[in-house]
Amino acid sequence: MASVTEQARRKQIVDAAVAVIAAEGYAKASFGRIAKQAGLSSTGLISYHFANKRELMDEVVRTVLADFTEFVLARTDDVAGPAAQLRAFIAANVEFASERRTHLVAMLEVARAEPGDGPDPVLEADLRGLADLLRAGQRLGEFRDFDADVMAMAVRSARDGLLLKLRTEPDLDLDVYAGELVTLFDLATRRTP
């Protein structure tokens, strides 16, 4: 188990990596630039905690995904009913993008630069959970009949599209974006009388 000091140093390095990647891109995220951003005296302090750039980038992705999951769950756990949970999920995704934009941009940069060897298990679990929520809404009669896997992918794609949009439009009105996404998927899933 890492000491408190080691955990704090790793967090400092990951936070600096996020800032560098978001500002300068993955290709320019060298240990030298990350060390400078973190205020470290040498890159050796990074190498002590991370064997190579890939290991550090994996930790960046893990950290952002863990923060994202905690953030979204805090806003959806106490919401009753699948339709309300879907609305809360979409709104929480956009809110996270608003509050932690650099984290999401950094994660997207890493994912584009270092595609994995197959589907990411965390993202696939997220997609399965969303499809399960949609199926539950269908069983309860809150949602119309549709392919839950396709709809889950559409929701995730809309969320991922936001990340791309933020790269080109940093001043995007996220309240409007969230409202439009909630309306879009409310209309797409709603059971009509």
Side-chain angles (χ1 to χ4, degrees):
M1 183 93 180
S3 72
V4 172
T5 303
E6 289 173 327
Q7 290 172 4
R9 178 68 73 191
R10 285 177 65 89
K11 182 181 179 334
Q12 177 186 12
I13 293 166
V14 169
D15 289 347
V18 164
V20 170
I21 296 164
E24 301 181 42
Y26 175 87
K28 294 184 179 179
S30 66
F31 274 15
R33 281 192 165 114
I34 294 168
K36 183 177 179 182
Q37 176 71 32
L40 302 175
S41 59
S42 81
T43 60
L45 291 169
I46 297 174
S47 298
Y48 175 80
H49 294 281
F50 300 97
N52 51 43
K53 185 175 180 178
R54 177 65 186 233
E55 187 177 299
L56 174 56
M57 296 302 115
D58 288 347
E59 185 61 23
V60 165
V61 171
R62 269 193 299 278
T63 299
V64 173
L65 285 174
D67 289 349
F68 169 77
T69 300
E70 182 180 326
F71 186 93
V72 171
L73 287 177
R75 285 151 181 79
T76 58
D77 273 353
D78 294 332
V79 177
Q85 287 176 339
L86 179 60
R87 288 190 296 273
F89 174 81
I90 293 168
N93 273 260
V94 177
E95 184 182 353
F96 185 84
S98 174
E99 292 184 15
R100 296 188 176 100
R101 187 176 300 207
T102 57
H103 291 77
L104 290 176
V105 169
M107 187 174 74
L108 183 63
E109 285 284 319
V110 172
R112 278 193 283 195
E114 294 187 359
D117 297 332
D120 183 298
V122 174
L123 292 177
E124 290 305 305
D126 181 47
L127 194 58
R128 277 192 311 278
L130 187 52
D132 289 345
L133 172 67
L134 295 167
R135 285 186 192 95
Q138 289 172 324
R139 281 191 305 276
L140 293 171
E142 290 186 33
F143 296 144
R144 67 175 179 80
D145 290 332
F146 53 79
D147 186 305
D149 294 319
V150 171
M151 190 66 73
M153 182 59 79
V155 172
R156 190 169 89 181
S157 295
R159 177 198 57 203
D160 294 349
L162 170 60
L163 302 180
L164 297 172
K165 190 88 168 147
L166 286 173
R167 295 288 295 179
T168 59
E169 290 184 45
D171 296 328
L172 180 67
D173 186 333
L174 292 172
D175 290 334
V176 170
Y177 198 93
E180 289 298 330
L181 281 185
V182 167
T183 299
L184 171 69
F185 287 105
D186 181 50
L187 292 171
T189 58
R190 181 186 301 164
R191 177 175 292 288
T192 54

